[in-house]
Amino acid sequence: DTEVTQTPKHLVMGMTNKKSLKCEQHMGHRAMYWYKQKAKKPPELMFVYSYEKLSINESVPSRFSPECPNSSLLNLHLHALQPEDSALYLCASSQGQGAEQPQHFGDGTRLSIL
Amino acid sequence: AQSVSQHNHHVILSEAASLELGCNYSYGGTVNLFWYVQYPGQHLQLLLKYFSGDPLVKGIKGFEAEFIKSKFSFNLRKPSVQWSDTAEYFCAVNAGYGNKLVFGAGTILRVKS
């Protein structure tokens, strides 16, 4: 079992809906990440939080809004998404933000936009 | 910008065959290299990693990888594959600011029993 827990596992939403994806880890990791993975493609980094502060935003559209309420939790708020945003959204965490730190991944949330 | 190339998208092997999956990256400086595996229906898991030192690194489940700096390569090997190795394998590189992983396109390995 993964030590990074993501909820929900599946989400279907309309383009006008507002929803949130949640990610939780209890490994004491201080860096957390959101990735987007389209079908048959590798994961692509969206955001990095380090010590609860946003440190990297890979030019992600503002309809995706990350939030890190504390060191164990990471949210991704969704609003006015487009059909092309349908994908698997992966959360990951690492002990720190050093480049040598391996990342631990969750199972992902499979998002479908109608 | 960093990029990672994986040479084969699909590989089919019989059990007990040897495996080598190619990975090349484009970055001239210090790199940190990883291989991740995704078994069907499961999350990405770390197989092995290279930061420095011995260029031959050993990972879990009998996998190993060799870092060849002059060839910008980090190929994954296993002497004898098992049916349970059926999975998708991703090479990833991290160089520069923060822990920003760049993944290769992935190689789907199917092992026939």
Side-chain angles (χ1 to χ4, degrees):
Chain A
D1 286 338
T2 179
E3 296 165 321
V4 177
T5 304
Q6 291 187 243
T7 56
K9 291 194 183 307
H10 301 273
L11 179 61
V12 179
M13 58 187 286
M15 289 190 284
T16 58
N17 291 158
K18 286 185 181 180
K19 297 284 185 183
S20 297
L21 309 185
K22 296 186 185 304
C23 175
E24 190 168 3
Q25 58 87 14
H26 293 290
M27 295 179 281
H29 289 176
R30 302 314 300 267
M32 296 185 75
Y33 312 79
W34 281 115
Y35 288 84
K36 176 181 178 178
Q37 187 176 19
K38 299 281 282 184
K40 301 188 180 183
K41 296 288 187 184
E44 293 183 346
L45 183 67
M46 300 174 72
F47 302 105
V48 180
Y49 271 83
S50 179
Y51 290 84
E52 298 150 53
K53 293 191 187 315
L54 183 66
S55 63
I56 297 178
N57 176 341
E58 289 290 287
S59 303
V60 179
S62 59
R63 58 185 184 268
F64 294 90
S65 175
E67 179 198 18
C68 190
N70 60 57
S71 59
S72 301
L73 291 174
L74 185 66
N75 298 323
L76 186 63
H77 302 299
L78 315 172
H79 175 54
L81 295 195
Q82 303 297 309
E84 61 265 28
D85 297 323
S86 297
L88 181 69
Y89 288 83
L90 296 170
C91 176
S93 70
S94 64
Q95 198 161 10
Q97 206 186 334
E100 76 286 0
Q101 300 282 344
Q103 294 179 26
H104 300 252
F105 286 84
D107 288 331
T109 293
R110 193 162 297 281
L111 176 65
S112 298
I113 307 301
L114 301 177
Chain B
Q2 305 163 47
S3 67
V4 180
S5 298
Q6 291 185 238
H7 307 155
N8 308 97
H9 289 299
H10 288 89
V11 173
I12 301 174
L13 295 173
S14 297
E15 277 193 306
S18 64
L19 170 72
E20 181 159 3
L21 301 182
C23 172
N24 286 90
Y25 62 91
S26 65
Y27 187 75
T30 301
V31 290
N32 301 282
L33 298 159
F34 304 84
W35 276 98
Y36 281 86
V37 60
Q38 190 166 30
Y39 297 103
Q42 295 188 28
H43 59 279
L44 278 164
Q45 301 174 41
L46 181 69
L47 263 184
L48 47 78
K49 58 191 179 191
Y50 172 79
F51 306 135
S52 62
D54 188 344
L56 184 63
V57 292
K58 295 191 184 300
I60 61 171
K61 305 187 180 186
F63 286 90
E64 63 178 33
E66 185 175 14
F67 170 55
I68 303 179
K69 189 174 181 179
S70 61
K71 294 185 178 180
F72 297 88
S73 70
F74 189 56
N75 292 353
L76 182 71
R77 298 195 292 249
K78 186 171 184 178
S80 175
V81 295
Q82 301 172 305
W83 176 82
S84 57
D85 292 324
T86 293
E88 187 161 17
Y89 293 80
F90 291 95
C91 181
V93 63
N94 192 335
Y97 173 74
N99 200 345
K100 186 175 165 179
L101 274 181
V102 175
F103 286 87
T107 296
I108 296 172
L109 171 66
R110 186 164 78 89
V111 180
K112 299 184 295 184
S113 58

